[in-house]
Amino acid sequence: PGFPKLHLMYQDEAKEEKSESTQTYIGLAITGFINGVNPCGASMLLMLLAAIAMSGRSVIKTGCAYLAGKFTAYCAMGMGLYKLFMAIGQDIFLSISNVFTWIFAAVFFILAILYLVDFVNVKRKQYGKIRMQLPTALRKWNHERIEKASKINAKWMIPAAVVLGIMISAGEFFCTGQVYLAAILYMMKMQQEMKLQTNAAFIIYVTAMCIPSFLIVLVIEKTKNVIHMSNKTLEWLPAIKLVTAIVFFIFAVFMLMQ
């Protein structure tokens, strides 16, 4: 008589775990999308598309190739960091998890405050006071790579755009990587509590992260107006800074509640 009840109990546990996994994937998709509207990534993409549009080449093909490189780079970086943290975490990281929890929660709170300060400065149009952005030297380096790539022979443009997407994403990680790192730590927490398909989680996160950039490519392909898109990005900057600050507050609270 006890076996049917035991079977039902396992079924209920499996359903609850599946539901929690689904919620986790949805949360990662939302976080990835928010991270994807980061102005660091948008500015580099807009610069590339402007150069491509001026040269008369295909915006949609070049843009998609660039995003393919970006997708590859972020999946590789994310999975590499996750495996590194888990390799450490099995014996050391999780054994002192309380210390790390407080450290990362404090870091996320500080980042949230910095993004709030940026939000205030952007609202006041004091763009020179923005702190959470790519370093000047790295921006200059990216600009030089984009300029060279835009002048490459047409038959090499697509593979060059893929390589460019990988290279710029590696540098862009300094700007977008804070939210990504928070998401990776979130995955580690979830992996302890449920059976999380991490490869699927990374694909979902990075795909969602690339959606805003893909929408920019589509808009510019249709309108051929890069300047209008750049102005729109500037208009959205306060909201982007505020939402990013809220995301970091949520991650900080989540770290402390676990």
Side-chain angles (χ1 to χ4, degrees):
F3 289 125
K5 291 182 179 179
L6 189 62
H7 180 67
L8 289 172
M9 183 180 70
Y10 284 134
Q11 278 188 331
D12 290 340
E13 288 179 356
K15 287 180 180 178
E16 184 178 347
E17 187 175 287
K18 185 177 180 180
S19 176
E20 290 178 355
S21 296
T22 301
Q23 291 174 10
T24 299
Y25 294 137
I26 292 172
L28 287 170
I30 293 171
T31 306
F33 185 87
I34 292 170
N35 202 13
V37 298
N38 194 297
C40 296
S43 62
M44 295 299 106
L45 177 61
L46 287 168
M47 183 170 294
L48 172 65
L49 296 181
I52 295 302
M54 289 176 64
S55 68
R57 298 175 185 178
S58 173
V59 168
I60 189 74
K61 289 181 181 179
T62 307
C64 287
Y66 175 86
L67 292 179
K70 181 174 183 174
F71 178 88
T72 302
Y74 272 94
C75 279
M77 288 187 291
M79 291 178 183
L81 283 172
Y82 180 86
K83 288 180 180 179
L84 175 63
F85 288 158
M86 287 302 290
I88 298 171
Q90 293 299 325
D91 300 316
I92 301 172
F93 190 89
L94 297 179
S95 66
I96 53 175
S97 60
N98 287 337
V99 175
F100 275 97
T101 294
W102 282 99
I103 290 173
F104 282 114
V107 170
F108 295 156
F109 270 123
I110 291 170
L111 288 171
I113 291 169
L114 289 174
Y115 273 101
L116 279 177
V117 171
D118 275 359
F119 164 72
V120 173
N121 288 329
V122 171
K123 289 292 287 184
R124 293 175 176 173
K125 301 188 184 303
Q126 296 175 334
Y127 302 112
K129 293 185 177 181
I130 295 176
R131 292 291 174 263
M132 305 308 294
Q133 60 180 341
L134 288 176
T136 304
L138 185 55
R139 290 203 303 273
K140 183 180 178 182
W141 186 87
N142 285 343
H143 294 171
E144 291 172 353
R145 302 287 80 74
I146 289 171
E147 186 178 353
K148 287 182 179 180
S150 66
K151 296 177 181 177
I152 203 166
N153 191 293
K155 67 178 181 178
W156 299 110
M157 191 66 238
I158 300 303
V162 174
V163 174
L164 186 65
I166 293 171
M167 293 171 63
I168 289 182
S169 294
E172 186 185 295
F173 194 79
F174 288 100
C175 186
T176 59
Q178 304 108 349
V179 177
Y180 199 15
L181 177 61
I184 292 170
L185 294 172
Y186 174 73
M187 289 183 206
M188 289 183 66
K189 287 271 188 183
M190 291 298 98
Q191 185 65 29
Q192 297 175 57
E193 300 173 12
M194 67 179 76
K195 189 177 180 181
L196 186 69
Q197 297 294 328
T198 52
N199 288 343
F202 276 108
I203 290 171
I204 290 169
Y205 182 94
V206 179
T207 299
M209 186 180 179
C210 290
I211 289 174
S213 295
F214 180 65
L215 293 176
I216 289 174
V217 173
L218 290 180
V219 170
I220 293 176
E221 169 68 17
K222 185 175 180 179
T223 64
K224 307 298 183 184
N225 193 335
V226 180
I227 295 175
H228 176 72
M229 197 69 237
S230 298
N231 291 337
K232 280 293 181 184
T233 303
L234 195 60
E235 288 177 15
W236 297 332
L237 189 55
I240 292 169
K241 292 289 186 181
L242 181 59
V243 171
T244 305
I246 292 170
V247 168
F248 275 118
F249 274 125
I250 291 171
F251 273 121
V253 171
F254 172 83
M255 293 291 290
L256 294 176
M257 288 177 64
Q258 298 302 304

